[in-house]
Amino acid sequence: MSSTAPIGVFDSGLGGISVVRQIVRDMPRERVLYFGDSANAPYGTKTPEQVRRLSFAIVDRFVHEGVKAVVIACNTATSAAVNDLRETYDIPIIGMEPALKVACDRGGVQSDGSHVPQRVIVAATPLTLRERKFARLMDRFDSDNEIFKEPCPDLVEIVESGRLHDHDLVMDTLHRYFDKYDLHRIDSVVLGCTHFVFYRDYFRELLPDSAAIIDGNEGTVRHLDVVLESLGDLAPQDAQGSVELANSDPSERIAALSRELLDA
């Protein structure tokens, strides 16, 4: 595979554009092909079998376009399909999972060597939170920390419908999900869906200053960089990076919204 080949990035819709923005910042010489499956969004309320079928169709598309790696910029699709995709294709398949380890590690250790417990809310789609992959991740940390699972499907819909700038709608939705918690006792909120990264400023408004807001985008892109470097497939120093946006919804509304989110 040529080091000048593009990287394929896909999501159930527009959320994965937040990962593309991270790639542009951290790996600016890379060419990126983005595919959003907005015609079939949201994935988070579908069955694992449906998500696997959709994911395979997208990766087939990327393989025919000659990508050197695929980033599943979707926690839901990662949960449902990453293992099967890796068994099928001989290019790197980089998945995502909620950055729970990062949140729990923030506590550090006490003077006696014991872990400082963390109270963490994981905001994600319903499918991500009920899949075995997340259950295994949670099992690693819930004995030493207090972890709350909060499915937030309406946050996906708000992004997909282009209403991200409707402050009252967004804050009313966040309050509906999070007012049940004593947020002053929460150490961090993990944004376990790439759509939710676009809400970072809203979460900052909702949460006390003491609560951290954590997403997995930076760690995912760092892992992508390491994998490509190990294979000798990083773009050359003189390469000119680029982004091409495609979507299963061919409407101009989605195209314009995609460009707006990329440039935000």
Side-chain angles (χ1 to χ4, degrees):
M1 183 66 64
S2 169
S3 63
T4 59
I7 297 164
V9 180
F10 80 92
D11 178 43
S12 61
L14 303 176
I17 293 175
S18 68
V19 178
V20 174
R21 295 193 313 189
Q22 192 76 44
I23 294 174
V24 171
R25 281 195 290 266
D26 296 350
M27 305 174 69
R29 292 184 294 275
E30 298 293 344
R31 295 167 53 210
V32 178
L33 304 181
Y34 181 75
F35 186 83
D37 196 12
S38 293
N40 293 300
Y43 280 10
T45 55
K46 288 180 164 49
T47 67
E49 292 75 18
Q50 289 173 314
V51 174
R52 278 192 287 272
R53 176 176 53 80
L54 293 165
S55 299
F56 268 89
I58 295 168
V59 177
D60 276 343
R61 170 195 177 105
F62 280 148
V63 169
H64 286 119
E65 291 176 322
V67 301
K68 62 185 178 183
V70 171
V71 177
I72 309 175
C74 176
N75 291 269
T76 300
T78 297
S79 297
V82 68
N83 291 333
D84 293 336
L85 289 169
R86 285 171 176 162
E87 290 176 2
T88 303
Y89 299 98
D90 61 358
I91 57 175
I93 307 287
I94 310 297
M96 298 192 73
E97 65 180 15
L100 188 54
K101 182 180 187 302
V102 176
C104 293
D105 284 352
R106 290 183 69 248
V109 294
Q110 303 181 84
S111 57
D112 62 359
S114 62
H115 173 74
V116 179
Q118 295 290 286
R119 293 171 57 87
V120 180
I121 301 173
V122 181
T125 67
L127 179 55
T128 292
L129 294 176
R130 68 174 181 260
E131 270 288 279
R132 289 191 304 273
K133 191 173 192 299
F134 181 75
R136 290 193 295 269
L137 176 66
M138 190 164 168
D139 283 346
R140 293 167 51 194
F141 300 104
D142 63 354
S143 62
D144 296 324
N145 303 278
E146 196 166 357
I147 301 168
F148 306 94
K149 300 188 294 184
E150 186 58 44
C152 305
D154 289 348
L155 295 184
V156 175
E157 297 287 355
I158 290 171
V159 174
E160 294 292 322
S161 62
R163 294 178 291 170
L164 189 61
H165 300 302
D166 187 335
H167 182 273
D168 290 343
L169 171 65
V170 172
M171 293 308 298
D172 286 347
T173 304
L174 290 179
H175 280 293
R176 177 157 47 85
Y177 288 133
F178 293 96
D179 279 358
K180 70 186 79 170
Y181 303 101
D182 180 356
L183 295 176
H184 288 278
R185 298 185 63 227
I186 296 298
D187 295 298
S188 59
V189 172
V190 173
L191 307 181
C193 171
T194 53
H195 284 80
F196 299 176
V197 178
F198 293 118
Y199 293 94
R200 180 174 284 274
D201 289 344
Y202 289 113
F203 274 101
R204 189 70 282 159
E205 183 178 339
L206 177 76
L207 298 170
D209 291 343
S210 58
I213 304 167
I214 298 169
D215 68 72
N217 287 10
E218 185 177 350
T220 298
V221 174
R222 187 164 56 247
H223 180 52
L224 170 67
D225 188 288
V226 168
V227 169
L228 291 180
E229 183 179 26
S230 72
L231 297 172
D233 281 341
L234 285 175
Q237 292 290 327
D238 60 351
Q240 181 70 43
S242 63
V243 176
E244 294 181 28
L245 300 171
N247 200 289
S248 57
D249 179 339
S251 67
E252 177 52 36
R253 182 188 73 83
I254 287 293
L257 186 52
S258 298
R259 292 191 294 269
E260 177 185 334
L261 291 171
L262 181 64
D263 295 336

